[in-house]
Amino acid sequence: MNALEKRLDSAAEQLSQTFMANYPQKSARHLEPLDAEEAAELLQSQPLHVIAGLWKYLPAGTSDAIFSALPQPLAARLIAYLDSHLAISLLSRLETERRQALMEDLKAEHATLVSEYQSLLEYPEDTAARMMTTKVQAFSGDISASDALAILRRNQIKALDTLYILDGNQQPSGELSIQELILAPPNSQMMDLAKPLRTTLSALDDKDMVIERFEGFRCRNIPVLDPQGQLIGSIGYFDVYQSTKEDLAADLQTMVGVSKEEKALSSSWFAFSKRQPWLQINLLTAFAAAAVVGAFEGLIAQVTALAILLPVAAGQSGNAGAQALAVTMRGLTLREITTKHWRKVLFKEMAAGAMNGVVIAITCAIGVYVWSQSIGLALVIALAMVSSLVIACSAGALVPIVLKKAGLDPAQSSSIVLTTITDIAGFMSFLGIALLLADMLPKG
């Protein structure tokens, strides 16, 4: 029975290892809900290449927690094995004492790597140097394709998409894919096989520039150069995609006053401490909207039907503004637009708000007339719908652009600012028009 149990345990372990190796993204999703200690214990039984393969699919908060639970020797070996951009991202989030301890453990066998990581950590966050991998392969232009393949085999280079060709000054002058190299005639020279570089990045280029280059040139990889024009790394499309996806997910949270660090399984106290300040701010803005309603107290007392229709006016303008905000935020995050496009975005949203406003106004006016039998009330709600939707859509477009132009995070407070504007716009439009057309409204 003991022998059978051992064979079953061995089979289960092999099955787990095979699953993680073949389905790293699914494995990462399965690890997320686990406690960090449980996930770390599960990973300890896996080969290093399997752990590294799924590590890039783990969200930052989850990977940090699991990494902290790993034994120090395994953590050090993982840091040495990961692509440099993943390792640097992980190291930059560690406490200083833990980072220094890991570096000390690595020095014995990886002194060059430690020096490289220390240099990369000096670059500002969200720069190309922090996003790149230093595991690139470059060749002189005068060597043959067969010699290049022999070098790759000898060095056991894995998972290369792009190879770079260097000129006489050891600066990159061309590139080719590994597939092109394999299919090339053995005696052909690398310089004859290479295609010109489509674009390059500087180590200090910010994330916005990196994403704009990938959007503009549609490259699989872009080389990163130091100030002297020497090749120091490369950024792949997948890494930029992952970074942008994380930005979008974070923006969804921060737009409604939730911390970027909060996860679905974060503690209740953490959620409370991060959300409470924004709820207090939102309460203050709600009082501002209430003050607008209070200014028309006399009119509402005379025409009580206005109080019933107030949520309709505010609700429609809020929804329209949120739609415009979501589209604009997506454009800014994916770098489809910049702050220079504000006029085009504004006019587009104003036109969309006006067209939606007219259609909603007709529908709403018919419903209000059937309910109240008042042409005046139907006309007021119709005019209010058009004006409030135009204002709300304009605000949804302008608020994030203005915040970004001012150097602020447009996701951090856009939703709260927009809610204030749309509530006030909705109430002011509806009640202001009602005041102008008071003679047409039913009393009581």
Side-chain angles (χ1 to χ4, degrees):
M1 187 65 181
N2 289 335
L4 178 60
E5 288 179 353
K6 288 181 179 179
R7 286 199 300 271
L8 289 173
D9 289 342
S10 177
E13 183 177 342
Q14 288 296 322
L15 183 61
S16 175
Q17 178 179 326
T18 302
F19 182 82
M20 287 189 178
N22 293 334
Y23 305 100
Q25 191 166 10
K26 288 184 179 179
S27 301
R29 297 290 81 81
H30 287 308
L31 287 174
E32 278 190 67
L34 299 179
D35 289 337
E37 290 75 13
E38 293 178 4
E41 184 177 351
L42 182 60
L43 291 178
Q44 288 178 53
S45 62
Q46 306 302 320
L48 200 57
H49 73 274
V50 173
I51 302 174
L54 64 82
W55 199 266
K56 62 184 176 182
Y57 295 106
L58 290 171
T62 303
S63 65
D64 292 352
I66 296 175
F67 187 80
S68 298
L70 291 176
Q72 183 82 350
L74 177 57
R77 288 192 294 120
L78 179 61
I79 284 291
Y81 195 91
L82 288 172
D83 282 346
S84 58
H85 68 287
L86 292 174
I88 292 301
S89 178
L90 184 57
L91 287 170
S92 66
R93 297 192 299 269
L94 293 178
E95 295 181 357
T96 304
E97 293 181 1
R98 180 80 193 280
R99 182 167 63 244
Q100 291 175 345
L102 281 170
M103 292 296 197
E104 288 297 324
D105 287 351
L106 284 172
K107 272 185 180 178
E109 297 182 10
H110 305 281
T112 304
L113 186 65
V114 169
S115 177
E116 176 185 305
Y117 284 179
Q118 288 175 338
S119 298
L120 290 174
L121 284 167
E122 293 177 2
Y123 284 100
E125 292 186 15
D126 291 335
T127 57
R130 287 290 192 94
M131 300 174 67
M132 72 182 183
T133 176
T134 57
K135 294 178 181 178
V136 294
Q137 188 67 42
F139 298 96
S140 298
D142 56 358
I143 72 168
S144 66
S146 59
D147 289 340
L149 284 172
I151 292 172
L152 292 177
R153 293 191 192 98
R154 185 171 63 250
N155 295 339
Q156 297 183 345
I157 303 297
K158 300 177 182 178
L160 283 175
D161 287 332
T162 306
L163 308 173
Y164 297 103
I165 310 305
L166 305 178
D167 60 18
N169 296 320
Q170 296 300 296
Q171 295 180 341
S173 59
E175 62 184 13
L176 75 158
S177 68
I178 187 69
Q179 293 90 342
E180 291 170 331
L181 176 61
I182 293 171
L183 297 174
N187 295 326
S188 56
Q189 289 192 325
M190 296 293 281
M191 68 176 65
D192 298 326
L193 299 173
K195 299 174 182 177
L197 291 174
R198 299 182 67 181
T199 187
T200 61
L201 287 162
S202 168
L204 289 173
D205 284 340
D206 60 22
K207 184 187 288 187
D208 289 353
M209 176 64 72
V210 173
I211 295 175
E212 284 177 15
R213 291 289 173 84
F214 274 96
E215 277 288 317
F217 291 91
R218 301 289 178 178
C219 301
R220 294 179 66 183
N221 296 277
I222 298 180
V224 181
L225 312 181
D226 67 11
Q228 288 72 44
Q230 302 294 310
L231 179 68
I232 59 173
S234 176
I235 300 178
Y237 174 81
F238 175 82
D239 301 316
V240 174
Y241 166 77
Q242 284 290 104
S243 176
T244 304
K245 186 172 72 172
E246 290 171 6
D247 286 349
L248 281 171
D251 286 350
L252 286 174
Q253 294 187 182
T254 52
M255 280 172 61
V256 292
V258 176
S259 169
K260 290 182 179 181
E261 292 78 24
E262 184 179 337
K263 307 298 178 187
L265 297 177
S266 297
S267 69
S268 299
W269 175 256
F270 184 87
F272 164 77
S273 63
K274 295 296 183 180
R275 298 180 191 181
Q276 182 58 210
W278 290 106
L279 290 174
Q280 294 288 348
I281 294 172
N282 196 46
L283 182 61
L284 292 176
T285 61
F287 276 118
V292 173
V293 177
F296 294 90
E297 183 179 0
L299 177 63
I300 295 173
Q302 293 178 12
V303 186
T304 54
L306 295 177
I308 299 172
L309 296 175
L310 272 176
V312 178
Q316 283 298 317
S317 61
N319 288 337
Q323 290 174 338
L325 175 65
V327 172
T328 306
M329 281 298 307
R330 179 185 181 277
L332 290 171
T333 302
L334 296 178
R335 279 71 185 180
E336 295 171 345
I337 59 171
T338 65
T339 54
K340 296 178 182 178
H341 296 99
W342 71 271
R343 287 188 182 86
K344 188 173 183 180
V345 176
L346 174 61
F347 292 145
K348 171 244 180 176
E349 290 297 341
M350 286 179 67
M355 289 186 285
N356 279 322
V358 169
V359 175
I360 293 294
I362 294 172
T363 306
C364 194
I366 293 172
V368 169
Y369 179 76
V370 170
W371 168 68
S372 67
Q373 299 297 308
S374 170
I375 294 177
L377 203 57
L379 180 61
V380 167
I381 195 72
L383 293 175
M385 283 297 164
V386 177
S387 61
S388 62
L389 261 66
V390 170
I391 296 172
C393 288
S394 302
L398 283 181
V399 166
I401 291 176
V402 170
L403 290 174
K404 189 172 183 66
K405 187 69 174 178
L408 303 173
D409 182 0
Q412 188 67 51
S413 50
S414 290
S415 180
I416 291 175
V417 174
L418 179 66
T419 299
T420 305
I421 294 174
T422 54
D423 283 351
I424 291 176
F427 294 148
M428 186 68 75
S429 297
F430 181 55
L431 295 174
I433 293 171
L435 184 63
L436 294 175
L437 302 178
D439 293 340
M440 299 177 63
L441 300 179
K443 300 298 187 287

